[in-house]
Amino acid sequence: PLEIVKKPEELNEAITRLRDCHYILIDTAGGSQYDVDKIDLINQYQQHLKEIPIEKMLVMPANVKTNDLYEIYNSYSTLNIDNLIFTKLDETISFGNLISFAHKTKKSICYLSIGQNVPDDLIEASSDYLIECFMNKQSIKI
């Protein structure tokens, strides 16, 4: 089932309607790390779910500079990010920055997107896979 929520105060009602689901995925509209109003709005949604445990994953492109990764992460860190997802592994030959970034931020990388065919190209992350990409300078289809 799909629920569309347009205001933070509607989120609890949507969660209640989905109460029989094992997992509820909440996707926010993507935006610039410099759009503080959008980040504040996400925080407002989060405030309406204080009693519900939420695992927050930050989705970031793998094909950006290391400094940009930190800029994105720092902007969204007010949301108390738990884990990371990296997309666009098929659009880069540099993987060391992802490994270093996860190590320095002490955040686990949970999933990787290795192509344009989502969800088929969304894989569970593993250190072995990332090291293989790093050594071969390309993402490997599984």
Side-chain angles (χ1 to χ4, degrees), residues 23-34:
Y23 294 98
I24 299 171
L25 304 177
I26 301 173
D27 187 18
T28 61
S32 167
Q33 67 268 26
Y34 304 115

Side-chain angles (χ1 to χ4, degrees), residues 22-116:
H22 292 290
Y23 294 98
I24 299 171
L25 304 177
I26 301 173
D27 187 18
T28 61
S32 167
Q33 67 268 26
Y34 304 115
D35 188 345
V36 293
D37 291 337
K38 186 170 278 186
I39 295 170
D40 183 54
L41 181 60
I42 295 169
N43 253 328
Q44 289 174 39
Y45 277 96
Q46 199 168 271
Q47 295 302 314
H48 286 270
L49 297 175
K50 287 192 179 233
E51 303 302 316
I52 300 171
I54 298 176
E55 186 175 2
K56 293 165 285 256
M57 297 186 189
L58 181 61
V59 180
M60 296 190 295
N63 63 346
V64 299
K65 297 177 288 201
T66 302
N67 288 345
D68 292 335
L69 289 176
Y70 284 104
E71 191 73 19
I72 294 166
Y73 178 80
N74 289 334
S75 293
Y76 284 97
S77 65
T78 60
L79 302 174
N80 298 315
I81 303 302
D82 296 308
N83 300 300
L84 306 170
I85 297 175
F86 281 105
T87 62
K88 302 186 179 193
L89 266 74
D90 57 315
E91 297 180 24
T92 187
I93 60 168
S94 300
F95 300 93
N97 61 334
L98 307 182
I99 297 166
S100 175
F101 181 82
H103 176 73
K104 286 184 182 177
T105 60
K106 297 185 178 11
K107 300 295 176 188
S108 297
I109 302 172
C110 293
Y111 296 96
L112 303 166
S113 177
I114 58 171
Q116 305 301 312

Side-chain angles (χ1 to χ4, degrees), residues 93 95 129-140:
I93 60 168
F95 300 93
Y129 180 83
L130 276 175
I131 291 169
E132 190 74 23
C133 291
F134 177 77
M135 298 302 287
N136 292 307
K137 296 189 182 222
Q138 66 179 4
S139 66
I140 298 125

